[in-house]
Amino acid sequence: RSEGSISVFAHRDMLLRALSNLVDNALKYASSGNCIQLGAILSGNLVRVTVADDGPGIPEARRQEALQRFGRLDKARTSSGAGLGLSLVQTIAQLHGGEVQLDAISPHGLLVTLLLPILRQENDSQPR
């Protein structure tokens, strides 16, 4: 459902990279490799972009580690990757005045939320 457009002031290529990393991670860790959910909603002065999967998730105690550069949670993994995906998403979010949140999905899975400030028109208190 769409109620109009919402604008964020962002570097197009960086934002595309962040979203691509989130979708790639979700596809990689989803139980069957193809069950993910995407969403975007306006929440106050922020756009909440969400990517969810039904994979193993990340334990709460290790979520900050997952957002750090080279933060690979399972050192024995044989899959490719250097542990830069989520840390890059976080860096891009921070460069745009936003943040990344990691949350559990019941009974298992991960919900990643990319929060980005909306762009407001001058003399306009309503988001566009």
Side-chain angles (χ1 to χ4, degrees), residues 31-48:
S31 290
S32 61
N34 61 7
C35 184
I36 66 171
Q37 294 180 351
L38 307 174
I41 62 169
L42 180 61
S43 178
N45 291 327
L46 298 172
V47 174
R48 298 174 70 86

Side-chain angles (χ1 to χ4, degrees), residues 104-121:
I105 297 175
S106 183
H108 54 83
L110 183 66
L111 172 66
V112 181
T113 303
L114 174 60
L115 298 156
L116 296 170
I118 62 170
L119 179 63
R120 289 188 177 269
Q121 299 293 327

